[in-house]
Amino acid sequence: DTGVSQDPRHKITKRGQNVTFRCDPISEHNRLYWYRQTLGQGPEFLTYFQNEAQLEKSRLLSDRFSAERPKGSFSTLEIQRTEQGDSAMYLCASSTPPSFGRNTEAFFGQGTRLTVV
Amino acid sequence: AQKVTQAQTEISVVEKEDVTLDCVYETRDTTYYLFWYKQPPSGELVFLIRRNSFDEQNEISGRYSWNFQKSTSSFNFTITASQVVDSAVYFCALSGTGGSYIPTFGRGTSLIVHP
């Protein structure tokens, strides 16, 4: 297994355009997280899936942000009508789900760096 | 609510010095997990360690050691005999039952090791 994979690694887009990022988690992981990281800050949680179910999406930054994981494998994060303030690193992570009160660590991809001009 | 505080924004040391990165957390959960991650300039967060709230044993892995103290809600990370390759941003994170085990991160500490 090659770990969590994100595509593209870099994206430059004009303000107002839509962008979509893809994340392929570690194959046996059924939890998938999306985070945003801006310069000098820690990762900020956006949303997560357990299998294909999106269990938390209230932390998505606005209704311009949406995420899907249609078959419980890869996921996409879409930002519509991008704004300059959306410029950031978007990180995907995956983990096995908590069970019997035991949690497991999340493994991160290399991120997609978005620049909105 | 969960919160992680890394008060040290940046630490600069000379190679071979020991350095401790501080992490203080807040949670109402009785069952929770603490993590440390390293983010080198390439950008990928690399998992270093996980501890659960029931295990306060300190851990040592090579030049790395971790000190977990529930009494002070701290989970500090020490690098012994630092090396230039240790230069990175280090993040402490917390997850627990009250937050659906979603990791909450601190703001990170940037460690710069000079040759």
Side-chain angles (χ1 to χ4, degrees):
Chain A
D1 198 336
T2 56
V4 179
S5 177
Q6 291 189 246
D7 183 69
R9 293 289 309 281
H10 303 273
K11 178 72 177 178
I12 300 174
T13 191
K14 292 184 178 179
R15 190 174 48 187
Q17 298 293 306
N18 299 343
V19 293
T20 300
F21 310 140
R22 177 180 170 124
C23 172
D24 287 89
I26 294 171
S27 57
E28 62 267 28
H29 288 180
N30 50 15
R31 265 207 176 192
L32 186 149
Y33 304 90
W34 284 100
Y35 285 81
R36 184 181 79 153
Q37 186 179 22
T38 54
L39 196 63
Q41 301 296 317
E44 175 189 10
F45 170 73
L46 296 178
T47 186
Y48 88 103
F49 295 83
Q50 190 143 317
N51 299 310
E52 64 274 11
Q54 190 174 14
L55 298 183
E56 173 60 66
K57 57 182 179 180
S58 65
R59 307 268 283 277
L60 286 167
L61 300 164
S62 78
D63 58 7
R64 297 183 298 105
F65 287 70
S66 63
E68 292 184 344
R69 193 182 184 197
K71 296 182 180 178
S73 56
F74 74 92
S75 176
T76 57
L77 177 69
E78 181 182 16
I79 309 174
Q80 297 183 327
R81 306 181 302 282
T82 53
E83 301 172 357
Q84 286 189 319
D86 297 332
S87 295
M89 175 79 87
Y90 291 86
L91 297 165
C92 176
S94 69
S95 73
T96 55
S99 62
F100 306 109
R102 294 175 61 85
N103 196 14
T104 58
E105 55 275 11
F107 290 88
F108 282 80
Q110 291 184 300
T112 295
R113 183 168 296 283
L114 174 66
T115 303
V116 182
V117 297
Chain B
Q2 298 179 147
K3 185 177 179 182
V4 175
T5 301
Q6 295 180 256
Q8 304 150 310
T9 304
E10 183 176 297
I11 300 175
S12 183
V13 299
V14 176
E15 209 168 19
K16 298 184 184 176
E17 282 187 39
D18 299 347
V19 58
T20 294
L21 310 180
D22 297 333
C23 173
V24 174
Y25 62 92
E26 296 175 33
T27 181
R28 295 183 188 147
D29 296 334
T30 54
T31 300
Y32 55 89
Y33 295 80
L34 296 160
F35 308 87
W36 276 95
Y37 286 83
K38 175 181 180 180
Q39 188 175 42
S42 60
E44 180 175 354
L45 277 102
V46 177
F47 166 74
L48 297 177
I49 190 171
R50 174 192 64 189
R51 301 301 283 173
N52 71 53
S53 52
F54 301 120
D55 183 2
E56 285 192 75
Q57 269 193 324
N58 293 331
E59 182 152 342
I60 298 174
S61 176
R63 296 183 297 106
Y64 294 172
S65 63
W66 292 270
N67 184 329
F68 175 28
Q69 292 196 332
K70 285 178 77 170
S71 61
T72 55
S73 297
S74 65
F75 185 43
N76 296 337
F77 174 25
T78 297
I79 302 174
T80 302
S82 59
Q83 300 176 1
V84 172
V85 293
D86 295 327
S87 297
V89 181
Y90 291 86
F91 292 96
C92 181
L94 164 71
S95 71
T97 52
S100 300
Y101 292 106
I102 299 167
T104 297
F105 286 80
R107 291 182 61 174
T109 297
S110 176
L111 174 64
I112 302 168
V113 182
H114 299 280

